Structures are given as structure tokens and as C-alpha cells.
């Protein structure tokens, strides 16, 4: 059954920037123990390179002190984050190796090694692999335990895959139920729909039928993709508690402290 509370609050947590897609406040979700994730602490988005002057004004009003970027060197070189006075920007790739390299268009991406890899392994497998042995998510969890770093914006290229996994881990650590975590992830299908249709129109006639199907799969947020993260965690560690402690060094005491900081 559709989560009516989530649906009702979706529009209020989407922040409409001119040059940044998929920008959302992760606050407002109820946890298992009845508390609520604070607004104005955790933000997620797509790449920031298109930020306009008006966007910078809005960004400054949000109280963001830290930008955490999951992209690789090639992506950041082609589409760098803007330098914002007073904001720390840290970038640690969430996927080993070059994800897009010097890809400058979606047509390039379709012809890239990433696209070929996805055809072989599938997005669900890629999601599962992201959850383990990740220097990026380990560092993310160090950052969010320090109140001096907050609010934080974490982002990748589209704000869907690498950011989706990061958001799922943050919300899970705070005690948000898995079904709500997945619903939050699926909001991306709404926030990126117009962009996806625009890109498909641009690529019309340039892709084979097989490439179109793979493109659709790559651009979509599907429950099975994020579920793969939880499945890998359970298969590897038994449960989330062990995962957070052994993989991300978030002990029971640290997790309680994290929740006390960012829940109300």
C-alpha cells in the first residue's frame, strides 16, 4: 500500500533549484522508535556544476557547511563543483575505478565502459558492491557524526545510484524503516522524469533497441536495485547492526549518539 504520509510530504522536501536536479531534504521521516529525522541537516542532489547565481543564494540559505561528492576524477574534471565560500567540499569516489571518465554527453556514456559493465553485471549487483569495502561511505559516516560539519549535501552525477545508497545508509542508521528508505529512493523517478525524457529525445535514432532498454534501466530507480544493498548486507553481516559496527565503525554507542543528534 502506498505510504500516504510520504506522498504528502514529498513535494515539501524537494527544493526547486534552477541548475541542480533532484535536490531534496532528507528530513521528516519517522523512525522505528517514533522520533523524526530533523529537517535542514541532510540534503541529497545531482551534480552541482549548473548552479546559477540565484541557486547560490538559495543554497546559502540552507545552512549547508559540507559537500560530500561521490563522483570520480573524470566526472569532477568535466563538471566540477562550484567553490562556495565557507563550505567544505570533499570528494571520495563511491565506485572503484573510473565511472564515467571524460564522458561529456549521454551519447558518450552509452558507448562507455560503464554502460558495457552494466550490461554484464546489472545495476542491482553494482549497488550491492557499493555497500562493501567502501572508503567513501566509511568517510561519510565519520563526517556526519561531527555536528560542526552539518548540514551536509551528498551528491553524485544524477543523485540516484551512489547518492541513493548513501542516503539509504544514513536513514537506516537513524532508524528509518526499510520500506520508507526505499520509498525515499524511488522519489528520484519523479524528480528526474523530465530530465530522462529530454535525454531520450536527444538520443532518439542514435541508439539500438537494446541500448534503449539498458538506458531506461540505468536511468530508473527500481526497488530491486536498493534491495540488493540490504541483501548483500544481510548475507555478509547478518543484520544492519553488525554492518554498521564492523563495516562503518558505527558502534552501538556511536549510533545512539548519531540518532540523538539528528532525530527529534
Amino acid at each position: 500500500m502506498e505510504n500516504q504520509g510520504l506522498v504528502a510530504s514529498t513535494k515539501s522536501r524537494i527544493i526547486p533549484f534552477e541548475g541542480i536536479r533532484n535536490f531534496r531534504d532528507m528530513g521528516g521521516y519517522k523512525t522505528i522508535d517514533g522520533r523524526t529525522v530533523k529537517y535542514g541537516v541532510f540534503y541529497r542532489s545531482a551534480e552541482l556544476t549548473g548552479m546559477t547565481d540565484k541557486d547560490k543564494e538559495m543554497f546559502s540559505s540552507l545552512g549547508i557547511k559540507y559537500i560530500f561528492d561521490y563522483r570520480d576524477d573524470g566526472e569532477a574534471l568535466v563538471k566540477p563543483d562550484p567553490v562556495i565560500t565557507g563550505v567544505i567540499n570533499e570528494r571520495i569516489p563511491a565506485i572503484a575505478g573510473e565511472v564515467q571518465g571524460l564522458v561529456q554527453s549521454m551519447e558518450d556514456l552509452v558507448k562507455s565502459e560503464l554502460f558495457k559493465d552494466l550490461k554484464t553485471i546489472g545495476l542491482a549487483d553494482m549497488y550491492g558492491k557499493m555497500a562493501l569495502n567502501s572508503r567513501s561511505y566509511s568517510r561519510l559516516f565519520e563526517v556526519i557524526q561531527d555536528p560542526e560539519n552539518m548540514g551536509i549535501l551528498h551528491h553524485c552525477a544524477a543523485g540516484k545510484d551512489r547518492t541513493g545508497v548513501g542516503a539509504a545508509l544514513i536513514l537506516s542508521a537513524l532508524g528509518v524503516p526499510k520500506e520508507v528508505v526505499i520509498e525515499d529512493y524511488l522519489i528520484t523517478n519523479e524528480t528526474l522524469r523530465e530530465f530522462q525524457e529530454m535525454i531520450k529525445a536527444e538520443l532518439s535514432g542514435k541508439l539500438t533497441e537494446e541500448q534503449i532498454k539498458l538506458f531506461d534501466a540505468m536511468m530508473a530507480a527500481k526497488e530491486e536495485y536498493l534491495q540488493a544493498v540490504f541483501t548483500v548486507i544481510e548475507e555478509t553481516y547478518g543484520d544492519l547492526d553488525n554492518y554498521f559496527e564492523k563495516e562503518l565503525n558505527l558502534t552501538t554507542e556511536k549510533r545512539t549518539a548519531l540518532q540523538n543528534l539528528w532525530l527529534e
Side-chain angles (χ1 to χ4, degrees):
M1 181 177 291
E2 196 173 50
N3 187 322
Q4 295 298 325
L6 179 63
V7 172
S9 62
T10 294
K11 288 186 178 180
S12 64
R13 68 167 44 90
I14 296 172
I15 302 174
F17 282 86
E18 291 180 334
I20 311 173
R21 297 182 179 88
N22 203 10
F23 198 109
R24 296 162 19 211
D25 191 321
M26 292 168 53
Y29 290 118
K30 291 289 185 183
T31 61
I32 294 169
D33 66 6
R35 290 184 287 178
T36 304
V37 180
K38 292 179 180 179
Y39 280 103
V41 176
F42 300 102
Y43 298 93
R44 54 178 293 175
S45 78
E47 63 197 19
L48 309 179
T49 195
M51 187 182 286
T52 65
D53 289 341
K54 185 177 179 181
D55 287 341
K56 290 177 181 178
E57 290 180 12
M58 184 181 293
F59 188 93
S60 297
S61 73
L62 297 177
I64 294 171
K65 299 177 183 177
Y66 214 102
I67 296 173
F68 195 91
D69 185 352
Y70 298 114
R71 299 175 303 158
D72 67 29
D73 295 345
E75 292 173 284
L77 180 64
V78 173
K79 295 184 176 181
D81 279 352
V83 176
I84 301 174
T85 303
V87 178
I88 297 170
N89 193 308
E90 181 170 8
R91 184 175 56 79
I92 302 179
I95 300 176
E98 292 292 299
V99 177
Q100 294 183 16
L102 294 179
V103 171
Q104 299 193 52
S105 70
M106 292 304 293
E107 189 172 358
D108 289 339
L109 179 58
V110 170
K111 298 174 182 177
S112 70
E113 290 302 314
L114 170 65
F115 211 70
K116 294 175 184 176
D117 289 344
L118 291 180
K119 180 179 177 181
T120 303
I121 68 172
L123 265 173
D125 286 346
M126 186 186 80
Y127 273 59
K129 289 179 179 178
M130 275 195 279
L132 302 179
N133 304 311
S134 174
R135 191 167 63 91
S136 185
Y137 298 127
S138 292
R139 174 58 183 156
L140 174 71
F141 269 76
E142 291 176 352
V143 172
I144 67 173
Q145 291 178 72
D146 185 349
E148 295 297 316
N149 295 329
M150 309 304 275
I152 182 173
L153 167 67
H154 59 129
H155 81 92
C156 53
K160 177 176 79 76
D161 303 318
R162 292 162 286 184
T163 304
V165 173
L169 295 177
I170 290 171
L171 291 176
S172 295
L174 293 173
V176 176
K178 182 171 75 171
E179 59 270 20
V180 178
V181 172
I182 290 173
E183 289 290 343
D184 174 74
Y185 166 71
L186 294 175
I187 293 172
T188 291
N189 287 324
E190 300 299 323
T191 54
L192 290 183
R193 176 172 287 126
E194 185 177 335
F195 172 68
Q196 292 170 7
E197 292 303 317
M198 178 184 71
I199 296 299
K200 282 189 73 173
E202 290 178 2
L203 293 174
S204 178
K206 299 178 181 179
L207 305 182
T208 65
E209 186 175 342
E210 182 182 32
Q211 286 175 325
I212 291 172
K213 288 181 180 179
L214 188 54
F215 174 81
D216 286 340
M218 183 182 73
M219 294 299 290
K222 297 184 179 182
E223 181 174 346
E224 66 194 73
Y225 297 163
L226 198 61
Q227 180 58 52
V229 173
F230 292 104
T231 299
V232 164
I233 287 172
E234 290 164 6
E235 289 176 350
T236 307
Y237 288 103
D239 57 35
L240 278 167
D241 293 339
N242 280 330
Y243 170 79
F244 284 125
E245 180 162 357
K246 296 176 182 177
E247 181 81 26
L248 300 180
N249 193 32
L250 190 71
T251 62
T252 301
E253 293 76 14
K254 289 180 179 178
R255 191 174 176 191
T256 298
L258 184 76
Q259 293 174 348
N260 288 339
L261 278 172
W262 310 129
L263 300 179
E264 56 187 8

